[in-house]
Amino acid sequence: MKNPTTKLSMLLAAALLALPVAARGEENGQFIPVLSYRTGPFAPNGIPWANGIVDYFELINQRDGGINGVKIIYEECETGYATDRGVECYERLKNKGPTGAAFVNPLSTGITFALTEKAPVDKIPLITAGFGRSESKDGSVFTWNFPLIGTYWTAADVAVQYIAKEFGGPDKLKGRKIVLLYHDSPFGKEPIPVLEALAKKYDFQLTLIPVANPGVEQKSQWLQIRQLRPDYVVMWGWGVMNPTAIQEAANVNFPREKMLGFWFAGAEPDVVPAGAQAVGYKALMLQHGAGRARVHDDLDKYVYGKGFGKSNHTDSSGVLFNRGMVGAMLGVEGIRTAMAKFGNKPLTGEQVRWGIEHLALDENRLKELGFEGMISPIKISCSDHEGSHTSRIQQWDGKQWKVISDWYTADETMLAPMLKDAAGRYAKEKGITPRDCSKES
Amino acid sequence: MFYREAGHFHDKYRDEMAIFQIREDRIGIRLLLIAAFVAVPLLHAAGVPPFAGDYLFSAVLTPLLILATAAIGLNLLVGYCGQISLGAGAFMGVGAYAAYNVSVHLPGLPLLATFLLAGAASAVVGLVFGIPSLRIKGLYLAVATLAAQFFLDWAFLRVGWITNYSASGSVTAPPLVIAGWHVDSPVERYLLVLAVAAIVALGAANLVRGNLGRQWMAIRDMDIAAEIIGIRPMQSKLTAFAISSFILGLAGALWAFVNLRAWEPYAFSIDRSFQLLFIVIIGGLGSIIGCFLGAAFIWLLPLAVEGIPRWLSIPIAADAAANLTLGVFGALILITLIFEPHGLARIWAIMKHKLRRWPFPY
C-alpha cells in the first residue's frame, strides 16, 4: 500500500461499507410498510391520504411511545398507483424490521388484487379500509383480507337506499332512470353486480356508462347522459375523473344535486377544482367525513407542535387525510388487540392477523381514541371481515362538506347471499377450503 | 485484456457461423448460464446477503427477465424487420388473457402447453394487425399498431368472455404446476422465467442469423431492393409480426401468471408498450443482448436511484425519490442516446472490442 491513491480509495470503500451498518443499528419495534402514491395521475388524492397514515403513526410514537410501548417503525414506498411498482414495494418491505411487516394497506384496488395472491403465502394481513374486493368480506375464504368499515357493495346498496328515500320510498324507484358513471377498471366495476341486482328488485332502469382512465375525456358520456335525462347519476370515480365529471355536468346543465359520488369521489380534491360548479354535489362518506375530532388536538400538540407533521396544518382535517388516519388507527388497534394475547413485543404478521380478526371498537373505545363521531363501532369476526356496514351522505356547499343524512345500514339480507356466491366461486377457482367459522374462537 | 483473438483460426464454415465464434466467448456464456441457473439458487440456499431473501428474485430478477423476453419479441419486429410497433403491451395482454382462458376452460392441460397456446393466440392476433404493414410503413404503421393497442385495451375491458365474465374485470392466475413441480417459491419462479428467457434468446439469436432473419434485415434496410433480389415482403413481414407476437404473448403470460398473479387490463396498457420500446431503443435496435441490457437499465435504475440514498442512510422522502428517479432517468436516456444512438449493446460491443485489441486500440 505504497500508493496514496490506493490507500485513500480503500479507506473510502471501507467507510462506505461501514456507514449503513453503523447508521442502521438494531432498531426494535413494530414494522409497518406504507405503500403510497405522491406522484402520478392520482397524486392529488394520494398525498393527503398518505399524510394521514404517517402522521397517525408519528402520533402514536410521540404521544404514547409506540403501541403499548413498542415503537412503530414505518417506511414509505412510492407506488405511483401502478400495480407492478406496488408489488415491488411490497416485496421490498415485507421482511423489514425485527418481525417483518405487521400488515399492508395497499391504497389501490389493482395492488390489492395482486397482493391477495401473495399475502397468504407470506402470512401478512391486508387492510383495505374502504376499498379492495368486496367479496373478501367473507373471512372464511379470504383469511388475510380485511376490507374494514366499508366495501364497495355496502356503498352501492346505501347509495340506492338514499336515492329511494329522496324519491319517497323504495316503491317510488319503479321506472326511474339511474346512471352509473364509473372509472373503467376493476375499481369502478366493483358495484355493478349489486346495482344490477337492485335494479331488478326495485324495477328501475340502470344504465352503465364507463369512463376511460384517467377520466379527463367525458364529453361523449355526458352527451349520452343529457339525452337519457336520468333521475340520478351515481358516480364511481377516483382522481381527476371526479372534478371533470362535475364540470361536464355543469356544461350540460345536469343538476349537481342529482349527482351522488361514491366515497372515493367525495373529497376536497374532487370538488375544489370545479369551483362554484360543484355546489350541491353529494357524495357517500366512508363513515368519516372532513372535520376535526379530538384526535386532531393531539395531532396538533404532539406531531405538528413538534414539527413532525407531513401535511400543512390546514389540510390535516380533510376527507382523505382523515381516511388515512382512520385506516392507520384500525391497523394500530388490530396490533394492540393481538398484543393482549401475544404480549407487548413486535408481532409477526400471523399474530397481527389474529388481532385484526378479533378487533372490536365500541363507542367508549372510539371516544378514548379520539375518533368519536368519525366512525361507527366496529366488530370483526371470522365470517365478517368488514365489521360495520354503515355510511352517510354529505353535500358540498362551496366551502365545506356538510353531513346531510343519518346513518344508513346496508341490506345484509340481499348482499349476504351474493357475497357467499362470489367468495365461493373464488374458493373453488383457487382450491381453497373455507374455514369453519363456528369453530374459530 | 481479458483474452485475445490471436490464434483463433476458423477452418470450417461451421465454426465461423457459430453464434459465439471465439472459444472464450463460448466459455463465458456457459459460465454465465451456470451462474444464473446453479450458482444463484445455491447462493440463495446458503443465505449470502443479496441472494438471501425473496426480494431479489420476486421483485428484481423475475420481472427483469420477463421484460427482457418481451423486448426480444419486440426487437425482432422493430430492430430486425424495421416495422415500428406501439402495440407490444397489447400483444402481451393477448398472451396473458389467452393463457388465463386456456387454464379456465382446459384445466387439465399442462402449463407449458398453456403458455405455448397463449403465444399462438398472440401470434394470430399479431398476424391480423400486421396486415396493414403490407401497405404502409414507418410512422403510419406505428399509428396502425397504436390502433391495435387501443382496440385490444377496449376488448380486455369490455368483452366478457376474455375475463371469463369476472364482474370487476380483474382475473387471477391458477397455481403453477409443471409436470408435478409446484412452481411456488420465488427462486423456482425465477428459474422458470430464466429457462424461458434463455430458450427465447437462443432461438431468436439463431433465427436472426438464418434465412428468415436475413430477409427481415433486407426488408428493414431497403424493402424495394429486397424485393428485387427475390425476397417476398408479404411473407417476411407477416412472419416477423407473427413470431414477434408469439414471444410477446409468451412473455405476457409469464408476466401475468408468474409475476403479477392477479391482474387488471391496465397491466397491459400503452405504458407497457412504451416501456418495451424504450428497452429496445436504449438496449440497441437489432441486438439480442441489448434487450437484456435495456431491460436491466429500465428496471434497475429506479430501484438504484431510490435505493442508493437509503443504503447510504441519507434520508430522502419517497415522493422526492420518485421525482428524482424521473429526472435521472430522463437525463440518462438523453445522454445514452446522444453519445451512443445504437444503444447499450453498441457500448458493450465497443468495450469488448477495445479490450480485445488492448493495449493497441485503434
Side-chain angles (χ1 to χ4, degrees):
Chain A
M1 292 232 288
K2 277 177 196 153
N3 190 342
T5 344
T6 322
K7 215 180 211 171
L8 196 72
S9 57
M10 284 188 80
L11 267 174
L12 198 70
L16 275 176
L17 281 173
L19 188 71
V21 179
R24 232 178 256 155
E26 276 305 303
E27 230 181 323
N28 194 35
Q30 183 76 58
F31 181 76
I32 304 177
V34 179
L35 270 56
S36 60
Y37 43 100
R38 295 170 181 276
T39 60
F42 298 101
N45 301 59
I47 291 168
W49 199 356
N51 286 341
I53 295 171
V54 294
D55 277 1
Y56 190 76
F57 290 158
E58 205 55 60
L59 173 69
I60 295 289
N61 279 346
Q62 296 299 327
R63 186 187 60 191
D64 312 338
I67 312 166
N68 294 338
V70 179
K71 243 183 163 355
I72 298 175
I73 317 166
Y74 60 86
E75 186 173 326
E76 254 193 79
C77 185
E78 173 69 32
T79 68
Y81 204 73
T83 302
D84 49 357
R85 297 283 297 149
V87 171
E88 192 270 320
C89 280
Y90 166 83
E91 292 291 346
R92 188 198 301 169
L93 299 178
K94 71 180 183 190
N95 288 326
K96 282 229 168 168
T99 52
F103 63 85
V104 177
N105 188 344
L107 300 204
S108 136
T109 305
I111 301 174
T112 305
F113 271 97
L115 295 190
T116 298
E117 308 302 308
K118 290 179 179 256
V121 183
D122 299 323
K123 304 207 180 305
I124 296 171
L126 288 180
I127 292 185
T128 56
F131 61 97
R133 37 192 324 161
S134 303
E135 66 262 40
S136 66
K137 179 189 170 224
D138 185 346
S140 67
V141 174
F142 293 89
T143 310
W144 298 87
N145 291 46
F146 292 92
L148 303 174
I149 68 171
T151 64
Y152 292 169
W153 287 11
T154 297
D157 187 71
V158 169
V160 173
Q161 280 187 43
Y162 173 75
I163 294 170
K165 200 170 177 202
E166 282 276 277
F167 294 139
D171 47 322
K172 296 279 189 337
L173 277 175
K174 195 173 155 64
R176 301 266 183 182
K177 284 186 238 170
I178 296 178
V179 162
L180 174 71
L181 186 74
Y182 65 97
H183 189 261
D184 205 351
S185 65
F187 155 77
K189 285 180 177 177
E190 273 284 324
I192 293 176
V194 173
L195 291 176
E196 277 175 343
L198 286 168
K200 210 182 251 170
K201 185 173 170 191
Y202 295 122
D203 202 18
F204 62 84
Q205 184 195 333
L206 178 72
T207 312
L208 305 172
I209 303 182
V211 174
N213 181 60
V216 281
E217 281 294 338
Q218 296 180 34
K219 280 267 184 281
S220 66
Q221 282 89 345
W222 283 94
L223 211 63
Q224 201 183 341
I225 289 173
R226 194 174 68 172
Q227 284 165 351
L228 208 66
R229 296 182 181 282
D231 296 289
Y232 243 100
V233 170
V234 177
M235 187 165 76
W236 228 266
W238 182 228
V240 71
M241 168 178 165
N242 302 329
T244 312
I246 293 169
Q247 274 158 356
E248 292 291 345
N251 289 346
V252 301
N253 241 340
F254 185 83
R256 259 70 73 215
E257 290 77 17
K258 297 287 176 197
M259 278 178 84
L260 181 62
F262 146 70
W263 57 56
F264 282 103
E268 289 79 8
D270 304 322
V271 284
V272 172
Q277 293 171 331
V279 175
Y281 171 74
K282 293 173 190 163
L284 288 163
M285 294 160 70
L286 177 63
Q287 309 207 351
H288 70 85
R292 293 172 62 90
R294 202 174 53 76
V295 67
H296 290 91
D297 299 334
D298 285 353
L299 210 60
D300 284 352
K301 191 168 156 198
Y302 294 100
V303 179
Y304 285 89
K306 291 185 178 176
F308 292 112
K310 263 281 194 184
S311 173
N312 70 43
H313 191 245
T314 44
D315 285 347
S316 66
S317 58
V319 173
L320 290 165
F321 184 91
N322 284 353
R323 182 162 306 158
M325 259 200 329
V326 167
M329 180 273 282
L330 291 167
V332 167
E333 292 313 305
I335 294 171
R336 208 189 296 278
T337 310
M339 279 178 177
K341 177 174 166 143
F342 300 103
N344 295 340
K345 54 172 199 264
L347 301 177
T348 63
E350 206 166 1
Q351 291 166 331
V352 173
R353 194 206 74 79
W354 184 92
I356 304 172
E357 194 158 86
H358 293 79
L359 178 69
L361 302 173
D362 57 12
E363 291 281 6
N364 285 333
R365 183 63 190 146
L366 286 174
K367 201 168 174 180
E368 274 169 37
L369 290 168
F371 282 84
E372 198 189 8
M374 284 177 79
I375 65 170
S376 53
I378 173 169
K379 190 174 183 336
I380 310 296
S381 66
C382 162
S383 57
D384 180 6
H385 275 194
E386 187 181 3
S388 65
H389 323 286
T390 55
S391 176
R392 287 177 289 178
I393 313 292
Q394 56 185 354
Q395 190 168 28
W396 180 252
D397 68 359
K399 285 193 183 64
Q400 57 179 328
W401 289 105
K402 286 238 167 76
V403 183
I404 56 162
S405 86
D406 275 342
W407 292 99
Y408 286 88
T409 306
D411 176 12
E412 286 303 303
T413 54
M414 200 203 77
L415 293 184
M418 288 180 65
L419 205 98
K420 205 85 218 152
D421 185 46
R425 242 193 351 254
Y426 180 85
K428 203 171 142 231
E429 208 176 292
K430 290 275 149 189
I432 300 170
T433 319
R435 291 184 294 160
D436 185 355
C437 281
S438 58
K439 287 194 187 133
E440 299 273 327
S441 59
Chain B
M1 191 178 189
F2 288 129
Y3 52 84
R4 311 258 164 89
E5 259 177 284
H8 287 280
F9 302 109
H10 303 298
D11 50 10
K12 290 192 207 78
Y13 283 123
R14 236 179 82 100
D15 291 349
E16 197 149 23
M17 273 160 44
I19 303 181
F20 301 104
Q21 292 160 19
I22 307 165
R23 194 161 54 97
E24 282 83 352
D25 271 349
R26 285 198 294 274
I27 296 172
I29 203 79
R30 267 177 212 144
L31 285 178
L32 190 72
L33 283 176
I34 291 171
F37 274 105
V38 183
V40 169
L42 282 180
L43 285 172
H44 171 77
V48 180
F51 302 98
D54 296 348
Y55 174 70
L56 182 76
F57 293 96
S58 47
V60 180
L61 293 176
T62 303
L64 195 153
L65 285 168
I66 301 174
L67 283 179
T69 311
I72 291 173
L74 184 64
N75 214 341
L76 292 184
L77 188 65
V78 180
Y80 286 97
C81 196
Q83 310 294 310
I84 300 173
S85 167
L86 284 173
F91 294 130
M92 275 180 85
V94 173
Y97 283 102
Y100 169 74
N101 266 305
V102 169
S103 72
V104 166
H105 296 294
L106 301 167
L109 210 65
L111 192 70
L112 289 179
T114 307
F115 282 173
L116 290 180
L117 279 176
S122 180
V124 171
V125 177
L127 206 59
V128 171
F129 284 102
I131 289 171
S133 71
L134 304 177
R135 296 299 288 272
I136 53 181
K137 47 187 175 180
L139 275 177
Y140 301 95
L141 182 64
V143 173
T145 53
L146 197 62
Q149 173 79 44
F150 288 136
F151 170 76
L152 290 169
D153 272 356
W154 173 86
F156 298 152
L157 276 167
R158 289 283 178 291
V159 182
W161 61 261
I162 290 182
T163 56
N164 197 26
Y165 303 99
S166 142
S168 63
S170 178
V171 295
T172 64
L176 297 172
V177 185
I178 297 173
W181 172 40
H182 279 262
V183 191
D184 244 354
S185 74
V187 179
E188 288 170 324
R189 285 166 187 269
Y190 155 77
L191 284 174
L192 170 69
V193 171
L194 180 67
V196 175
I199 292 168
V200 168
L202 202 68
N206 269 313
L207 200 64
V208 295
R209 294 179 320 126
N211 182 9
L212 206 52
R214 282 161 202 275
Q215 285 184 28
W216 291 345
M217 285 185 268
I219 293 278
R220 172 192 69 190
D221 292 341
M222 197 175 200
D223 49 356
I224 293 174
E227 212 174 338
I228 288 169
I229 60 169
I231 292 169
R232 279 181 290 174
M234 186 173 91
Q235 194 194 14
S236 43
K237 279 181 183 177
L238 288 184
T239 47
F241 264 97
I243 293 172
S244 155
S245 306
F246 179 86
I247 297 174
L248 281 167
L250 192 63
L254 287 175
W255 188 259
F257 276 41
V258 183
N259 188 36
L260 293 179
R261 286 190 253 178
W263 69 98
E264 47 181 331
Y266 200 59
F268 300 103
S269 69
I270 188 147
D271 293 347
R272 184 75 57 218
S273 300
F274 285 138
Q275 190 185 32
L276 289 174
L277 204 60
F278 285 157
I279 290 176
V280 167
I281 289 173
I282 291 171
L285 285 166
S287 146
I288 299 296
I289 187 161
C291 297
F292 287 92
L293 296 176
F297 183 84
I298 291 265
W299 192 254
L300 297 183
L301 188 75
L303 302 184
V305 173
E306 275 182 66
I308 288 170
R310 197 155 12 93
W311 188 73
L312 294 174
S313 301
I314 301 167
I316 181 164
D319 48 338
N323 289 326
L324 186 69
T325 307
L326 289 179
V328 171
F329 203 60
L332 276 178
I333 287 177
L334 278 179
I335 290 169
T336 319
L337 292 185
I338 288 170
F339 290 103
E340 188 44 82
H342 297 291
L344 298 174
R346 180 88 187 125
I347 294 179
W348 172 249
I350 290 173
M351 220 163 71
K352 257 176 53 175
H353 196 76
K354 283 214 187 295
L355 287 176
R356 285 219 301 259
R357 301 279 185 280
W358 191 84
F360 304 114
Y362 53 85

